[in-house]
Amino acid sequence: MKFHIFLHFAFNIKDQEHIMSKYQQEWKKAIQKHIKLKWKVKTSGGDIMIRVPAETDMEKLESNFPDLMAPIAPTILSPKTRLTMYVGNSDQADFKFILS
């Protein structure tokens, strides 16, 4: 699926804050705070879109992604709900990571 399609349907950030679940908001803020890389984190509907730099080794990132997210999980205080993170470094969403 094209990564930019998800971003195209995103509302402006102010409007999104009202439709995002608290769980999704916490994850977005936590990723932005804890991941010290040049990632762009956006939301679309109930999903999180993460755009990483073009030079990122996507195979390595995909295999290490659970380890990157593990230290963040305990900081999320809202009740857990299903959340999909689409991670890509081009127009293509290279992989998705599902929290359920």
Side-chain angles (χ1 to χ4, degrees):
M1 232 179 219
K2 293 284 185 182
F3 192 74
H4 70 276
I5 290 173
F6 292 107
L7 298 178
H8 175 73
F9 290 108
F11 300 107
N12 70 47
I13 299 300
K14 185 176 180 180
D15 290 340
Q16 280 189 321
E17 294 293 327
H18 297 289
I19 63 170
M20 284 191 296
S21 72
K22 183 140 177 74
Y23 185 68
Q24 182 186 23
Q25 288 176 32
E26 283 189 62
W27 266 104
K28 179 184 175 194
K29 289 176 184 174
I31 291 168
Q32 290 171 325
K33 178 181 177 184
H34 295 284
I35 302 296
K36 304 297 185 198
L37 302 170
K38 293 181 180 181
W39 289 7
K40 293 180 182 176
V41 182
K42 299 188 184 271
T43 58
S44 179
D47 302 324
I48 292 179
M49 311 300 161
I50 301 172
R51 186 147 210 166
V52 299
E55 64 274 3
T56 302
D57 180 338
M58 294 306 293
E59 287 181 25
K60 184 176 178 182
L61 178 60
E62 184 173 10
S63 66
N64 292 331
F65 200 77
D67 293 332
L68 290 171
M69 296 299 111
I72 297 173
T75 69
I76 309 301
L77 303 177
S78 295
K80 293 179 181 180
T81 60
R82 184 178 172 91
L83 180 66
T84 302
M85 296 181 194
Y86 292 90
V87 184
N89 66 353
S90 63
D91 286 343
Q92 202 74 25
D94 290 305
F95 68 90
K96 64 182 176 179
F97 181 76
I98 300 172
L99 296 168
S100 53

